[in-house]
Amino acid sequence: MSTQFITLRPPPVPNITNPNTRKRPTLRPSAPLYQRIFIPSHVYRHPSAVLLELCTSLKELHQILPLVIKNGFYDEHFFQTKLISLFCKFSSITEAARVFETVEHKLDVLYHTMLKGYAKNSALRDALKFYGRMRYDEVSPVVYDFTYLLQLCGDSLDLRRGREVHGMVITNGFQSNLFAMTAVVNLYAKCRQVEDAYKMFERMPQRDLVSWNTVVAGFAQNGLARRAVQLVLQMQEAGQKPDSITLVTVLPALADVKALRIGKSAHGYAFRAGFESMVNVGTAMLDMYFKCGSVKNARLVFKGMSSRNVVSWNTMINGYEQNGESEEAFSTFLKMLDEGVEPTNVSMMGALHACANLGDLERGRFVHRLLEEKKLGSDVSVMNSLISMYSKCKRVDIAASLFGNLKQKTVVTWNAMILGYAQNGCINEALNLFCEMQSHDIKPDSFTLVSVITALADLSVTRQAKWIHGLAIRTLMDKNVFVCTALVDTYAKCGAIQTARSLFDTMEERHVITWNAMIDGYGTHGHGKEALDLFDEMQKGSVKPNEITFLSVIAACSHSGLVEEGLYYFESMKENYGLKPAMDHYGAMVDLLGRAGRLNDAWEFIQDMPVKPGITVLGAMLGACKIHKNVELGEKVADELFELDPDEGGYHVLLANMYASASMWEKVAKVRTAMEKKGIQKTPGCSLVELRNEVHTFYSGSTNHPESKRIYAYLETLGDEIKEAGYVPDTDSIHDVEEDVKEQLVSSHSERLAIAFGLLNTSRGTTIHIRKNLRVCGDCHEATKYISLVTGREIIVRDLRRFHHFKNGRCSCKDYCISEAASVFEPVEHKVDVLYHTMLKGVGRLMMHIRCSKKCRQKDLVTWTTLVSGYAQNGLAKRALHLVSQMQEAGQKPDSVTLVSVLPAVADMKALRIGRSIHGYAFRSGFESLVNVSNALLDMYFKCGSARIARMVFEGMSRKSVVSWNTVICGCAQNGESEEAFATFLKMLEEREVPTRVTMMGALLACSNLGDLERGRFVHKLLDQLKLDFDVSVMNSLISMYSKCKRVDIAASIFDHLKEKTNVTWNAMILGYAQNGCVEEALNLFCLMRSQGTKLDCFTLVGVISAIAEFSVNHQAKWIHGLAIRTYMDKNVFVSTALVDMYAKCGAIKTARKLFDMMQERNVITWNAMIDGYGTHGLGKEALDLFKEMQMGVVKPNDITFLSVISACSHSGFVEEGLFLFKSMKEDYDLEPNLDHYSAMVDLLGRAGQLDDAWNFIQEMAVKPEISVLGAMLGACKIHQNVELGEKAAKKLFELDPDEGGYHVLLANIYASNSMWDKVAEVRTVMEKKGLHKTPGCSLVEMRNEVHAFYSGSTNHPQSKRIYAFLETLGDEIKAAGYVPETNSIGDVEENLKEQLLSSHSERLAIAYGLLNTSPGTTIHIRKNLRVCGDCHEATKYISLVTGREIIVRDLRRFHHFKNGNCSCGDYW
């Protein structure tokens, strides 16, 4: 039978203002409840009543309910009370409310029951609402009503409402009630107001055990463990005996403060009181013992537990794992499974952590399979542990696959994956994932930053360390002890040891890992004394050293030769601190003795070890034998090593090196033969150097770097210089080759190549930072000392073991590293094999050529020309020109080949004067008639910006090749003469010259610049005819042309059909979307580009930044800026300029200026972007100041600069300054104004009300005024309501463009502002006849990574009702503050309707939405497609005043910053 009861009555909490809700009668019976209600026996003895008493679930209740209704008991008080109670008990408050509403005469007890139901099953708001209903119905509250409400306030952490309920407790006279005040104490404790909780507790006239337990729990759960323990003692002194709840509450507090002694006392009390047998007490004791580090006691408690639940097993597994006993943890997990206990997600996480610590992939996979069987794989915390396990087991690929397939990701998930990448050396992947995390707007926490910092520490780039440090400061995490510790470690690993120490000293809190990081940093930098001094300081403090501390200290002694100190600390760790040495400690001790040459002591130390020596110990010994050439001991050690790990190539290489250093070449050959048979190879030497945000990698002997020729040539010169200073190459370990070849092999080690590259590409005084994957060899160490001496540079090299700071011919290691014992992964690079001879084939010619050139006493013309060409082609233009001068001084006259070689160098330097001299020489020598010389002259003149002379050269050429035509077409297009370029292209076709791909690209560039779609299509058809459309470079130009001609749809179609796409193709399409306002398409394409692994370059970022600038969303701006930093492109002048422009367009003008000031290189575009940014923000003075600063520098203003600065004057009302600048651009800078400049001047005069001057200016223009000029005039007439001039301007505009709706609207607005409604009607009739429409106002606001669009008067937004209701309220508030709507421009409607029309403008809707959906104090950012109207401008000022918010509106022309009732434009816009 179905029950109709479920749908009979109204919703759960009726509003007390509802007219259908009846107020209870004021006449209340005074008899006691038991006298007022008589329950007949046939009612409470009926089977349905008995069934209700036995009911255990909501399902059963629904089955019993029809029986109650059928038997006519539904209206009986007994059944109604029981039904309400049961529905509340089974969490169905809606059905309880429906029953409650049917009760005609409601007794107080029903209200109390309902309130309890709301408190247990609903939101706090609903419970309080029902309490209000209860008081409205004149029901007197009882104490339990308040205890329920207080409990709910505490659970909701709603302190404000909790205080209100506390007030009700007092006003209703329950301030002395034990239960009520206990609930008050609990409220304050849960809301973290523990001192207030204690004050309430102290004021209680009586306290029971529950009260004491509540206040103890409050202190314990708020991290005040010692206070909690103290309260337990006070509680006993007050005569209250702790019960099991007290113990379960206080034991976690004891665990937090590691109070093992008190914990044992609590254990004894539990045993004596009989609580030990209770499973919750036993589990709490397990947790306490584990957290206090007493694993043995925890094990005894677990064994003695008569009953165990899954929590007990989980505590054991996690306790073992957290105490470093991962084998025991996994065994306990298996035993748990054997005993049939069903594992939970906590069990699985503990097992996975154990597998991760053990690095045991097989057992980890077993747990993974078990997860899938138990269907626990949906839990995100378990998946996080799984990701960490696979990462620590070196299977980061599986971890990444799990991460990629996870639908729900928390910040812990992202952290686990980032750290996994970092731990596996996948630095780029870690940084890219961090970037992606930020793009998803997931807020990083301290563990995120620690993971990223860990990755950057391996990268060893100081700039990156500073970037992440800055991010930590901006996210307010720079005081977090874990973040600070990671930063100290990173700075130390980046070579900035002093910065690390400064940061260490500023830390308010330091853990043992903080001290360890700083001590280890000193050690790796060779600062042994500083490391020991810091360790002494640590011993005097409260933080105790651990095993890692002693390992760092001994290693520091080893790096600095402090043997006796190292021996002392090794004994001290055992005797004074009770720490048992691990294998790493023994390895460090062997390294300490071995470096010092005490090989016999080291060997005896190994023999006396209480454990069998491992690989690290024997590896350190073998390295020491190699350094000190002790073959006998070395062979013994090698035999033991090969037993432990026969396939490790490092030890074979170390043994071979030892034989080589002793000149035992036959044994060297045997070792190499053994390596070849086993397929063992040495790790190739690799060095990294960071330059201009890009990391350059060099391998020993490699020639694949773009600057290899320059590097090897420079190394040849540098080699001579350091030899003169005293350097003698150490070639003893190289065999079977000539002496000069030995030197070449040594000088081509990876660190030398990296150092040479750094020296060549940085300015004098710059420190060179090198990162090497192996140990620096002795010869390179010696050579680098001399390089630092002859170049005057500091060179910092971080090798596998330590830092070397080379300066003025010395190293910070004081040459102690030469006797450094190498471990397994430290083979040096002196090897003789076929790779060396292969390398010589690549570099021998260049080095031999330079050597021959230097030694050649007689240089002929070919020799000179070859050298000139070499320098020119390698970007050394000045050196090439200098050589030409030397060549002439030596009596050699440049020929045509010399000229063709040197002219590109002149072009690169923009050395027009020298170029003209060469042109004169070519003319006098008769070379001008040669087509290749003329082509070179053409290219030089165009690149030097002298297009006029280039055309003269071209016209004077007697013979022209296709290269000549191409040079002129491309040169004209690149110099802003696109009409001339296209005309030349057509002339080329007329002369039957067959165009090439370069020709077509030049023609397409001209069409792009002109925005001429028809001519662009003509070139496209020609491409198809000539079958040149297969060339990807041509197709890139075609995509750009269609994009600039506003046909991005055609460009996208071409892009999609292209089979081969380069990064230039992607860039062209992204920029095309950006230029056409297709922001989302641009960003989506960028994401697709990255997902396909296409390498980004600076032009990619410029395209994306341009798109985001149009989007005007701050968090997107920060994301792309972060990506630029991570991809080392933030210092690129084009990227930085685009970022300046973007920040300005996103309203962050101060950030834009900071970035501008930080830029080391600025071109004219950079200055223009910053000046224009100031202008659009109404900061005219700042724009003028910056322009003056520009004039004093080397970068000259161009026509865009003057357009930006005149516009800035226009926005700020600086008329005289604007007039002066317009005159200056012609007279002082010889720049011819174009229509945009004339338009800006009309705007300047018009805004200032000088309409007659503006009109006269138009009449006197040197060119015919176009649409932009007349449009500015019409806009000024509208502002100042000048109908006469407005009609004149409109008439001329309609002649030029009769179908532009915007100008018709502007004219109609002029008429409307003058109440000329007939004229308004005429304009609108014309518009209707022509089918013209005004552009609808649209405003955008970004909220939680989503952009919301609002159109004037629209109601299609999900929150439209709220928005319009809010606007109505807001309208009343701003009117009360003084706002008067400006309705003059609206006719033919009632006044109230006029106000409604104004208040529904798009910017008002967007502002209202922003105010409704952000917290107080948040700035609202709005983007509008049209100019803000006068009324909205005035209203927004008042809105900013009454709401106390800052509102930033970017309209079509400028920014408006509204704050405290004012606008940044000063009402001048």
Side-chain angles (χ1 to χ4, degrees):
M1 175 181 174
S2 65
T3 169
Q4 295 178 344
F5 163 74
I6 301 302
T7 57
L8 284 179
R9 295 294 174 185
V13 186
N15 195 315
I16 61 172
T17 59
N18 191 329
N20 296 323
T21 303
R22 291 181 299 169
K23 189 173 179 180
R24 296 178 73 207
T26 54
L27 182 63
R28 294 170 53 85
S30 58
L33 186 61
Y34 68 88
Q35 290 180 341
R36 282 187 276 122
I37 299 175
F38 171 73
I39 305 174
S41 60
H42 75 280
V43 173
Y44 64 80
R45 289 179 180 174
H46 193 272
S48 57
V50 176
L51 287 173
L52 285 175
E53 289 293 337
L54 299 174
C55 183
T56 59
S57 69
L58 186 63
K59 183 179 178 182
E60 288 180 5
L61 184 56
H62 284 153
Q63 292 171 344
I64 298 166
L65 188 57
L67 185 63
V68 173
I69 296 170
K70 182 179 179 182
N71 286 280
F73 294 137
Y74 182 68
D75 293 326
E76 289 285 344
H77 270 287
F78 172 80
F79 281 96
Q80 289 170 331
T81 305
K82 197 67 181 173
L83 285 171
I84 291 170
S85 178
L86 287 172
F87 276 126
C88 288
K89 179 182 177 181
F90 299 139
S91 305
S92 183
I93 191 67
T94 304
E95 292 174 287
R98 286 171 181 159
V99 176
F100 178 79
E101 292 304 324
T102 63
V103 179
E104 188 173 353
H105 298 291
K106 299 178 177 69
L107 301 179
D108 289 4
V109 68
L110 291 182
Y111 282 90
H112 303 317
T113 303
M114 279 299 296
L115 184 60
K116 179 181 178 181
Y118 276 114
K120 299 289 185 186
N121 302 298
S122 291
L124 176 59
R125 182 184 65 255
D126 293 336
L128 290 172
K129 192 174 181 182
F130 186 81
Y131 176 79
R133 156 80 180 276
M134 191 172 114
R135 296 313 308 271
Y136 180 79
D137 288 349
E138 297 181 357
V139 176
S140 298
V142 295
V143 69
Y144 295 108
D145 293 336
F146 297 116
T147 60
Y148 300 143
L149 290 174
L150 287 165
Q151 177 73 30
L152 184 55
C153 289
D155 292 340
S156 305
L157 302 178
D158 195 327
L159 181 62
R160 183 179 64 80
R161 285 182 172 147
R163 290 188 191 277
E164 290 174 4
V165 177
H166 183 189
M168 295 177 201
V169 169
I170 296 169
T171 55
N172 283 276
F174 295 121
Q175 66 268 30
S176 298
N177 183 276
L178 177 65
F179 302 107
M181 293 312 293
T182 301
V184 169
V185 170
N186 182 58
L187 160 78
Y188 286 120
K190 284 187 175 177
C191 291
R192 305 192 68 81
Q193 303 297 311
V194 70
E195 292 301 333
D196 287 345
Y198 187 66
K199 286 177 184 176
M200 295 302 105
F201 175 74
E202 283 189 314
R203 291 175 187 173
M204 290 173 67
Q206 56 178 336
R207 304 165 189 156
D208 63 1
L209 186 58
V210 177
S211 311
W212 281 99
N213 285 347
T214 301
V215 76
V216 168
F219 279 106
Q221 291 164 5
N222 280 281
L224 299 168
R226 295 187 187 279
R227 291 284 298 278
V229 173
Q230 190 179 19
L231 274 171
V232 174
L233 297 175
Q234 291 177 4
M235 169 184 176
Q236 291 173 293
E237 290 170 3
Q240 290 286 356
K241 288 186 178 181
D243 62 358
S244 61
I245 303 299
T246 318
L247 291 175
V248 171
T249 301
V250 80
L251 280 167
L254 296 173
D256 288 341
V257 295
K258 306 285 189 295
L260 181 60
R261 186 180 59 79
I262 302 173
K264 286 179 176 178
S265 298
H267 186 178
Y269 176 84
F271 178 77
R272 293 190 300 275
F275 297 136
E276 191 184 31
S277 60
M278 299 175 71
V279 69
N280 60 339
V281 175
T283 302
M285 283 194 294
L286 283 177
D287 180 65
M288 181 272 296
Y289 277 124
F290 274 124
K291 286 182 177 173
C292 290
S294 184
V295 177
K296 186 175 76 167
N297 284 328
R299 194 180 288 120
L300 288 170
V301 170
F302 185 71
K303 285 180 180 177
M305 288 176 72
S306 55
S307 66
R308 303 168 183 152
N309 59 15
V310 69
V311 180
S312 313
W313 285 97
N314 291 347
T315 305
M316 285 301 292
I317 295 166
N318 288 314
Y320 278 132
E321 178 267 318
Q322 289 163 4
N323 279 272
E325 297 194 13
S326 296
E327 280 288 358
E328 194 68 34
F330 200 81
S331 298
T332 306
F333 174 69
L334 294 177
K335 191 175 180 183
M336 173 186 174
L337 297 178
D338 290 341
E339 294 198 9
V341 179
E342 192 68 20
T344 64
N345 55 357
V346 178
S347 320
M348 296 304 203
M349 287 160 66
L352 287 169
H353 290 156
C355 296
N357 293 340
L358 294 166
D360 194 322
L361 183 62
E362 289 309 309
R363 284 195 269 192
R365 281 180 163 156
F366 163 75
V367 180
H368 190 175
R369 288 193 295 271
L370 192 62
L371 270 175
E372 292 173 349
E373 288 174 17
K374 302 291 183 183
K375 300 196 182 330
L376 291 171
S378 60
D379 187 277
V380 69
S381 299
V382 174
M383 298 309 290
N384 296 342
S385 299
L386 201 59
I387 288 168
S388 295
M389 182 275 293
Y390 278 118
S391 297
K392 287 186 178 177
C393 291
K394 309 301 180 188
R395 287 306 302 271
V396 73
D397 54 328
I398 301 176
S401 175
L402 289 169
F403 178 84
N405 291 319
L406 260 184
K407 292 181 180 177
Q408 181 191 359
K409 297 183 181 85
T410 65
V411 68
V412 179
T413 318
W414 290 89
N415 293 350
M417 196 63 247
I418 291 169
L419 186 60
Y421 278 133
Q423 290 167 338
N424 284 272
C426 306
I427 299 169
N428 286 337
E429 289 84 350
L431 296 179
N432 288 339
L433 192 62
F434 178 60
C435 164
E436 186 183 342
M437 177 184 180
Q438 289 185 304
S439 71
H440 282 80
D441 205 27
I442 296 168
K443 189 177 181 182
D445 61 12
S446 59
F447 299 104
T448 318
L449 286 197
V450 168
S451 303
V452 177
I453 293 166
T454 302
L456 292 177
D458 288 333
L459 199 59
S460 194
V461 177
T462 308
R463 187 186 58 79
Q464 289 277 31
K466 289 178 179 176
W467 163 72
I468 197 67
H469 190 180
L471 181 61
I473 293 169
R474 290 192 297 277
T475 53
L476 307 177
M477 285 189 269
D478 56 316
K479 301 302 180 187
N480 179 279
V481 66
F482 301 106
V483 173
C484 272
T485 299
L487 286 169
V488 167
D489 183 58
T490 296
Y491 276 121
K493 287 178 178 175
C494 291
I497 191 67
Q498 291 178 343
T499 306
R501 181 57 196 259
S502 297
L503 185 59
F504 176 86
D505 289 339
T506 60
M507 289 176 67
E508 296 173 2
E509 179 187 3
R510 300 176 191 142
H511 285 186
V512 66
I513 52 173
T514 317
W515 290 91
N516 294 349
M518 194 64 242
I519 292 168
D520 184 65
Y522 273 137
T524 55
H525 281 265
H527 301 321
K529 182 179 181 302
E530 288 82 352
L532 295 184
D533 288 344
L534 190 63
F535 179 62
D536 289 342
E537 185 183 335
M538 179 184 184
Q539 288 177 303
K540 295 172 187 174
S542 58
V543 179
K544 289 185 178 180
N546 63 8
E547 297 90 341
I548 306 298
T549 316
F550 279 98
L551 181 62
S552 300
V553 169
I554 295 167
C557 292
S558 182
H559 285 304
S560 299
L562 305 173
V563 179
E564 296 305 320
E565 291 86 345
L567 290 167
Y568 167 77
Y569 287 118
F570 182 74
E571 291 301 320
S572 175
M573 75 176 286
K574 295 183 288 182
E575 295 176 5
N576 300 331
Y577 290 91
L579 297 171
K580 186 178 178 182
M583 195 61 69
D584 288 333
H585 295 90
Y586 289 112
M589 287 303 297
V590 171
D591 189 53
L592 173 78
L593 295 166
R595 286 175 198 260
R598 295 167 58 169
L599 297 182
N600 291 330
D601 292 342
W603 185 246
E604 287 176 12
F605 182 87
I606 292 172
Q607 305 307 310
D608 294 339
M609 280 173 58
V611 292
K612 185 178 179 181
I615 288 174
T616 55
V617 177
L618 295 169
M621 187 69 208
L622 183 60
C625 293
K626 185 268 170 191
I627 289 164
H628 297 287
K629 302 180 182 179
N630 190 321
V631 177
E632 182 184 355
L633 263 181
E635 287 179 327
K636 286 182 184 179
V637 175
D639 288 341
E640 292 193 29
L641 271 170
F642 296 154
E643 287 178 12
L644 291 172
D645 192 351
D647 297 325
E648 174 49 56
Y651 302 129
H652 288 80
V653 171
L654 209 51
L655 181 62
N657 288 341
M658 184 178 67
Y659 287 140
S661 62
S663 298
M664 301 170 70
W665 303 111
E666 291 181 4
K667 293 209 172 188
V668 172
K670 284 183 181 179
V671 174
R672 288 181 180 153
T673 303
M675 289 176 69
E676 287 175 9
K677 286 181 179 178
K678 291 181 179 181
I680 298 171
Q681 295 179 330
K682 70 170 284 255
T683 304
C686 173
S687 294
L688 310 176
V689 59
E690 191 253 357
L691 186 68
R692 300 185 189 96
N693 307 323
E694 185 177 355
V695 177
H696 296 260
T697 305
F698 295 90
Y699 288 90
S700 295
S702 63
T703 58
N704 57 357
H705 192 276
E707 295 193 31
S708 285
K709 290 183 179 180
R710 284 182 71 209
I711 291 167
Y712 280 101
Y714 180 66
L715 280 173
E716 178 80 10
T717 306
L718 194 60
D720 293 340
E721 291 180 20
I722 61 176
K723 282 178 184 176
E724 288 177 10
Y727 162 69
V728 178
D730 178 9
T731 59
D732 292 343
S733 59
I734 302 176
H735 188 50
D736 294 338
V737 291
E738 297 298 323
E739 193 63 32
D740 62 334
V741 176
K742 288 183 180 181
E743 290 187 23
Q744 286 181 25
L745 293 172
V746 170
S747 69
S748 64
H749 280 189
S750 64
E751 56 264 56
R752 302 256 195 121
L753 301 177
I755 290 168
F757 175 78
L759 290 169
L760 283 168
N761 290 279
T762 56
S763 56
R764 290 182 179 276
T766 307
T767 301
I768 310 295
H769 289 263
I770 307 295
R771 175 80 168 91
K772 190 179 179 186
N773 67 329
L774 305 176
R775 177 177 166 261
V776 174
C777 76
D779 182 74
C780 285
H781 187 271
E782 190 70 10
T784 308
K785 289 199 299 180
Y786 280 99
I787 291 170
S788 74
L789 178 65
V790 300
T791 61
R793 297 286 197 99
E794 182 179 4
I795 301 168
I796 300 175
V797 179
R798 176 186 171 189
D799 69 9
L800 188 65
R801 287 296 299 273
R802 63 167 296 153
F803 277 88
H804 299 269
H805 294 252
F806 298 94
K807 192 173 183 181
N808 299 327
R810 295 179 180 178
C811 179
S812 59
C813 74
K814 299 174 184 175
D815 294 346
Y816 191 72
C817 73
I818 306 305
S819 61
E820 184 173 356
S823 64
V824 53
F825 301 111
E826 293 179 306
V828 295
E829 298 182 35
H830 290 311
K831 306 293 172 295
V832 181
D833 54 34
V834 70
L835 290 176
Y836 283 129
H837 302 294
T838 305
M839 181 273 295
L840 280 175
K841 290 178 184 177
V843 300
R845 292 177 190 171
L846 174 64
M847 296 174 71
M848 189 62 69
H849 174 72
I850 294 171
R851 185 185 297 117
C852 290
S853 297
K854 286 183 176 181
K855 292 180 180 179
C856 185
R857 293 179 182 177
Q858 292 184 345
K859 299 182 180 76
D860 61 6
L861 186 59
V862 175
T863 309
W864 281 106
T865 301
T866 304
L867 278 173
V868 169
S869 177
Y871 279 112
Q873 290 169 6
N874 282 281
L876 299 169
K878 289 185 178 179
R879 293 285 296 276
L881 289 172
H882 183 62
L883 272 173
V884 173
S885 299
Q886 289 181 333
M887 170 183 176
Q888 290 174 300
E889 289 170 4
Q892 291 287 354
K893 289 186 177 181
D895 63 358
S896 62
V897 179
T898 316
L899 296 183
V900 171
S901 299
V902 81
L903 278 168
V906 174
D908 289 341
M909 291 172 59
K910 305 285 190 292
L912 182 60
R913 187 180 58 79
I914 298 173
R916 283 175 174 169
S917 298
I918 294 172
H919 188 177
Y921 175 82
F923 178 78
R924 293 191 300 273
S925 304
F927 297 136
E928 192 183 31
S929 60
L930 295 171
V931 70
N932 60 338
V933 174
S934 293
N935 290 345
L937 284 168
L938 282 175
D939 180 65
M940 181 273 295
Y941 278 123
F942 274 122
K943 286 182 177 174
C944 289
S946 188
R948 185 175 61 85
I949 300 176
R951 284 198 302 273
M952 288 172 63
V953 171
F954 181 70
E955 288 166 5
M957 289 174 69
S958 56
R959 190 164 59 89
K960 298 162 185 165
S961 66
V962 69
V963 176
S964 314
W965 288 99
N966 291 349
T967 305
V968 174
I969 294 167
C970 294
C972 285
Q974 290 163 359
N975 277 272
E977 298 189 6
S978 296
E979 281 287 359
E980 189 69 32
F982 200 82
T984 306
F985 170 66
L986 294 177
K987 191 174 180 183
M988 176 184 177
L989 297 178
E990 289 170 5
E991 295 199 9
R992 304 289 182 181
E993 191 74 54
V994 178
T996 64
R997 51 187 286 278
V998 178
T999 320
M1000 304 309 261
M1001 288 162 68
L1004 287 168
L1005 177 61
C1007 295
S1008 297
N1009 294 343
L1010 294 167
D1012 194 321
L1013 183 62
E1014 290 309 309
R1015 284 194 269 194
R1017 281 179 162 157
F1018 164 75
V1019 180
H1020 190 176
K1021 289 174 188 173
L1022 192 60
L1023 273 174
D1024 294 340
Q1025 292 171 12
L1026 296 170
K1027 301 197 182 317
L1028 289 172
D1029 54 353
F1030 65 88
D1031 187 278
V1032 69
S1033 299
V1034 175
M1035 299 312 285
N1036 295 343
S1037 298
L1038 201 60
I1039 289 168
S1040 294
M1041 182 276 294
Y1042 277 118
S1043 298
K1044 286 186 178 177
C1045 292
K1046 309 301 180 187
R1047 287 305 305 268
V1048 73
D1049 54 329
I1050 302 176
S1053 176
I1054 293 169
F1055 176 85
D1056 291 338
H1057 287 94
L1058 266 181
K1059 293 180 180 178
E1060 180 193 354
K1061 296 184 181 83
T1062 64
N1063 64 331
V1064 179
T1065 317
W1066 290 90
N1067 295 349
M1069 196 62 246
I1070 290 169
L1071 189 59
Y1073 277 134
Q1075 289 167 341
N1076 284 272
C1078 306
V1079 181
E1080 288 189 20
E1081 289 83 349
L1083 295 179
N1084 290 339
L1085 191 63
F1086 176 62
C1087 293
L1088 179 62
M1089 178 184 182
R1090 294 184 72 195
S1091 69
Q1092 295 192 6
T1094 306
K1095 188 178 179 182
L1096 313 180
D1097 60 16
C1098 62
F1099 299 106
T1100 319
L1101 286 195
V1102 168
V1104 179
I1105 293 166
S1106 300
I1108 290 173
E1110 292 306 314
F1111 217 33
S1112 196
V1113 176
N1114 261 314
H1115 88 271
Q1116 289 276 27
K1118 290 176 182 175
W1119 165 72
I1120 197 66
H1121 190 180
L1123 181 61
I1125 293 169
R1126 289 187 293 279
T1127 51
Y1128 311 109
M1129 285 188 267
D1130 59 314
K1131 302 301 182 188
N1132 177 281
V1133 67
F1134 300 107
V1135 173
S1136 290
T1137 299
L1139 286 169
V1140 167
D1141 180 62
M1142 174 192 68
Y1143 275 121
K1145 288 179 177 173
C1146 289
I1149 192 67
K1150 290 181 181 178
T1151 306
R1153 182 57 195 259
K1154 283 181 183 176
L1155 186 59
F1156 176 86
D1157 289 338
M1158 289 167 59
M1159 289 176 67
Q1160 296 173 355
E1161 179 189 359
R1162 301 177 192 136
N1163 57 23
V1164 67
I1165 307 170
T1166 318
W1167 289 92
N1168 294 350
M1170 194 64 241
I1171 291 168
D1172 185 65
Y1174 274 139
T1176 55
H1177 281 264
L1179 302 171
K1181 184 180 181 300
E1182 288 81 353
L1184 290 174
D1185 289 344
L1186 190 62
F1187 177 67
K1188 289 173 185 175
E1189 184 183 335
M1190 180 186 184
Q1191 287 177 306
M1192 291 186 283
V1194 294
V1195 179
K1196 289 185 178 180
N1198 63 7
D1199 53 342
I1200 305 296
T1201 317
F1202 278 97
L1203 179 62
S1204 299
V1205 77
I1206 292 168
S1207 296
C1209 291
S1210 179
H1211 285 302
S1212 299
F1214 297 156
V1215 179
E1216 295 305 318
E1217 291 86 343
L1219 290 167
F1220 171 78
L1221 288 165
F1222 183 75
K1223 185 179 179 183
S1224 174
M1225 75 175 286
K1226 295 184 288 184
E1227 295 179 359
D1228 300 331
Y1229 289 90
D1230 197 26
L1231 293 171
E1232 194 63 35
N1234 58 34
L1235 283 170
D1236 289 330
H1237 295 91
Y1238 287 113
S1239 175
M1241 288 302 297
V1242 171
D1243 189 58
L1244 172 78
L1245 295 166
R1247 283 177 192 266
Q1250 299 181 25
L1251 296 181
D1252 291 332
D1253 292 339
W1255 186 250
N1256 291 335
F1257 182 87
I1258 293 172
Q1259 305 307 311
E1260 294 169 4
M1261 278 173 56
V1263 292
K1264 184 181 177 182
E1266 294 291 337
I1267 290 174
S1268 60
V1269 178
L1270 295 167
M1273 185 68 208
L1274 185 61
C1277 292
K1278 190 269 174 192
I1279 293 169
H1280 297 286
Q1281 302 178 12
N1282 191 316
V1283 177
E1284 182 185 355
L1285 279 177
E1287 287 178 328
K1288 287 182 181 180
K1291 183 179 179 182
K1292 288 182 175 289
L1293 272 169
F1294 298 155
E1295 289 173 5
L1296 291 170
D1297 191 354
D1299 298 326
E1300 173 51 55
Y1303 300 128
H1304 288 78
V1305 171
L1306 208 50
L1307 180 61
N1309 288 343
I1310 293 174
Y1311 289 141
S1313 62
N1314 285 277
S1315 301
M1316 299 170 69
W1317 303 112
D1318 293 340
K1319 293 270 189 179
V1320 171
E1322 286 178 16
V1323 175
R1324 287 178 179 166
T1325 303
V1326 171
M1327 289 180 69
E1328 286 175 12
K1329 286 181 180 178
K1330 292 184 176 181
L1332 303 179
H1333 299 282
K1334 66 168 287 191
T1335 304
C1338 175
S1339 294
L1340 309 177
V1341 58
E1342 190 260 350
M1343 193 72 59
R1344 300 180 189 92
N1345 303 327
E1346 187 178 354
V1347 176
H1348 297 259
F1350 294 90
Y1351 289 88
S1352 294
S1354 63
T1355 57
N1356 56 357
H1357 191 275
Q1359 293 191 24
S1360 284
K1361 288 185 179 179
R1362 282 185 73 207
I1363 291 167
Y1364 279 100
F1366 179 68
L1367 279 173
E1368 189 171 343
T1369 306
L1370 191 61
D1372 293 338
E1373 290 182 22
I1374 62 177
K1375 282 179 183 176
Y1379 161 69
V1380 178
E1382 185 187 323
T1383 58
N1384 295 337
S1385 59
I1386 304 176
D1388 299 334
V1389 291
E1390 298 296 324
E1391 191 64 29
N1392 62 338
L1393 186 55
K1394 288 181 181 182
E1395 291 186 22
Q1396 285 181 28
L1397 291 171
L1398 288 173
S1399 67
S1400 65
H1401 279 191
S1402 64
E1403 56 266 55
R1404 302 256 196 122
L1405 301 177
I1407 289 168
Y1409 175 77
L1411 291 169
L1412 283 168
N1413 290 278
T1414 56
S1415 56
T1418 306
T1419 300
I1420 309 294
H1421 290 263
I1422 306 295
R1423 174 81 168 91
K1424 189 179 179 185
N1425 66 329
L1426 304 176
R1427 182 174 173 271
V1428 173
C1429 77
D1431 182 73
C1432 286
H1433 187 272
E1434 190 69 11
T1436 309
K1437 289 199 296 181
Y1438 279 98
I1439 291 170
S1440 73
L1441 178 65
V1442 300
T1443 61
R1445 297 286 198 99
E1446 182 176 4
I1447 302 168
I1448 300 175
V1449 179
R1450 176 187 171 189
D1451 69 8
L1452 189 63
R1453 291 295 303 271
R1454 61 168 296 153
F1455 277 90
H1456 298 268
H1457 294 251
F1458 297 94
K1459 192 174 183 181
N1460 298 328
N1462 296 312
C1463 179
S1464 58
C1465 73
D1467 294 343
Y1468 189 87
W1469 91 105

